[in-house]
Amino acid sequence: MNKDTYWMRRALAISQRGLGHVNPNPMVGAIVVDKDGQKIAQGFHAKYGMAHAEATALEYAGKRAQGATLYVTLEPCSHHGKTPPCAQTVIDAGIQKVVIGSLDPNPKVSSVAMLQAQGIEVVTGILAKDIARFNRGFFARVQGQSYVLAKVALSRDGYMGHKTQRLSISGPQVGRHTMKLRALVDGILVGRRTWQNDDPSLNVRGPYASYQPAAILLDPQLEIGKSAKVFTRQGRKVVLIYDPERAKPSSWMLELGVCCLPVAPKDKGFAPKDILAALRAQGIYSILLEGGGQTLASFSRQHCIDDWVIYHSPDRLKGHYPEDQLVSMPEMPFSPDLQSVIRCGRDWVWTTLHCRG
């Protein structure tokens, strides 16, 4: 591993400390290294609206940044936003070389030319794909596209739940892992049967709870009641996607500030691409799809799922419940042999999230 890759991996690890706190901004990490290859300082984007990673690292470095190398996971901003342009901060600090992981997809950012014009050596593309994948939601938003991550808990014999009752398939460690996934996205989406059977809160708990993505429910006839758990957290955005030919928002929905989003269904229900377009219009670009089976199958068949996380339990459901009451996985969306497989407590996690290439 060469030195640029080594330090960029360190910066990428640091960037993840901003998980759940920087949305809709990206997670960014930065490290300042002296001429002898020793770390001087580091920083990460800690909270939306606060100082960016490179500005924090350079502040800690102070005068020692003169003639040093800056490693930063994302191209420094070159325009005024909520903070001053970081590219100018880099120039003022006297940095001699900047190693950038991924270029910023925002067309407003053009710091490479700005830095080179000041005689600063610039290297780009170090772990670019890894960094972009860690910031999928941000890249999707800037590019005006949707990003959909599907999450499924699967029993050893291939079932993902019961048709009429809530089942806990995975162990407790999976719940904590799920909170990280929820903190990565703009919204969490479930189908009608899931919210009717489970009455989920669809919130973020634990260390990332300061950020709450929107709760999105498919509810063609607006059957949900005011007592549903998704309405218990004030200030949290709730989106109900409904068929305008079959339902009309109730007064209590309007009083609670619920976003009732009309989407005309196709022959077999809502079309995933229509749902995603309607959500983008509401500023929701990245989505965690949490089921159920029909919703997952619909999105999968229309090629609207970008990544999968499958929690594979060692327990079987067949034999404990009638087979005709169990929900089968619609289809295996990828070969686990070709993807990342990690352990999460007693469960295995099959995922496309950590693949390199």
Side-chain angles (χ1 to χ4, degrees):
M1 183 187 301
N2 64 41
K3 64 178 182 179
D4 285 351
T5 301
Y6 170 79
W7 286 115
M8 193 59 68
R9 288 202 188 285
R10 294 278 299 271
L12 178 57
I14 293 168
S15 74
Q16 293 169 59
R17 298 181 188 179
L19 176 64
H21 305 293
V22 299
N23 304 63
N25 278 357
M27 294 178 284
V28 182
I31 297 177
V32 183
V33 177
D34 67 18
K35 294 179 180 179
D36 298 322
Q38 300 299 309
K39 185 177 76 172
I40 298 172
Q42 66 182 38
F44 67 98
H45 185 30
K47 190 174 182 180
Y48 177 68
M50 293 179 62
H52 289 182
E54 49 271 64
T56 299
L58 291 171
E59 182 179 358
Y60 283 130
K63 294 182 179 180
R64 293 179 296 167
Q66 192 79 29
T69 297
L70 172 69
Y71 291 88
V72 60
T73 57
L74 190 68
E75 182 181 4
C77 60
S78 57
H79 63 287
H80 283 272
K82 285 186 173 294
T83 61
C86 291
Q88 188 60 51
T89 302
V90 173
I91 294 169
D92 294 342
I95 287 290
Q96 187 176 44
K97 177 181 177 182
V98 177
V99 181
I100 297 170
S102 173
L103 296 177
D104 196 312
N106 190 335
K108 294 181 180 179
V109 178
S110 57
S111 63
V112 172
M114 183 176 175
L115 295 170
Q116 290 174 332
Q118 297 298 317
I120 298 173
E121 180 185 354
V122 179
V123 176
T124 63
I126 307 299
L127 301 181
K129 289 185 178 180
D130 290 341
I131 292 163
R133 290 178 70 80
F134 271 105
N135 286 293
R136 295 167 184 81
F138 168 75
F139 274 69
R141 176 180 292 273
V142 172
Q143 295 166 346
Q145 302 172 352
S146 295
Y147 168 72
V148 180
L149 168 63
K151 177 189 77 69
V152 184
L154 197 65
S155 68
R156 185 177 179 181
D157 47 359
Y159 296 102
M160 54 182 291
H162 194 281
K163 291 181 179 179
T164 60
Q165 60 180 284
R166 181 171 187 167
L167 295 181
S168 182
I169 297 175
S170 306
Q173 288 86 349
V174 162
R176 292 191 284 271
H177 189 272
T178 295
M179 293 304 110
K180 289 185 178 182
L181 299 182
R182 289 182 174 183
L184 284 169
V185 298
D186 298 332
I188 308 164
L189 188 150
V190 297
R192 178 179 59 84
R193 184 172 291 174
T194 297
W195 65 256
Q196 285 182 331
N197 291 345
D198 297 350
D199 189 23
S201 299
L202 301 182
N203 59 5
V204 178
R205 301 179 293 278
Y208 314 109
S210 61
Y211 171 70
Q212 294 296 327
I216 307 163
L217 297 88
L218 304 186
D219 189 3
Q221 299 185 65
L222 291 177
E223 300 171 276
I224 197 167
K226 191 176 182 179
S227 61
K229 290 180 181 177
V230 291
F231 301 120
T232 58
R233 192 181 185 103
Q234 292 184 348
R236 195 264 187 97
K237 187 170 186 174
V238 178
V239 180
L240 302 179
I241 295 176
Y242 73 100
D243 178 358
E245 294 295 323
R246 302 170 67 190
K248 183 179 179 180
S250 301
S251 57
W252 67 263
M253 295 176 181
L254 302 177
E255 291 170 3
L256 288 181
V258 177
C259 176
C260 296
L261 206 55
V263 175
K266 297 296 192 290
D267 293 338
K268 296 183 179 180
F270 297 123
K273 291 182 180 179
D274 291 344
I275 292 172
L276 296 176
L279 291 172
R280 287 196 301 272
Q282 294 293 318
I284 299 173
Y285 290 84
S286 54
I287 296 161
L288 178 62
L289 192 62
E290 294 202 0
Q294 292 181 355
T295 304
L296 283 166
S298 176
F299 273 74
S300 182
R301 292 189 192 111
Q302 295 299 313
H303 307 289
C304 290
I305 297 177
D306 299 289
D307 281 306
W308 290 82
V309 172
I310 297 180
Y311 300 115
H312 200 262
S313 169
D315 298 336
R316 297 180 184 272
L317 292 181
K318 189 177 178 181
H320 297 280
Y321 304 93
E323 188 174 0
D324 62 355
Q325 291 298 308
L326 296 175
V327 180
S328 299
M329 180 75 181
E331 57 195 38
M332 181 56 70
F334 59 88
S335 169
D337 295 333
L338 302 177
Q339 310 299 329
S340 173
V341 183
I342 60 175
R343 196 65 185 261
C344 187
R346 68 185 185 89
D347 301 278
W348 288 99
V349 184
W350 297 343
T351 175
T352 62
L353 284 173
H354 306 296
C355 300
R356 303 190 188 284

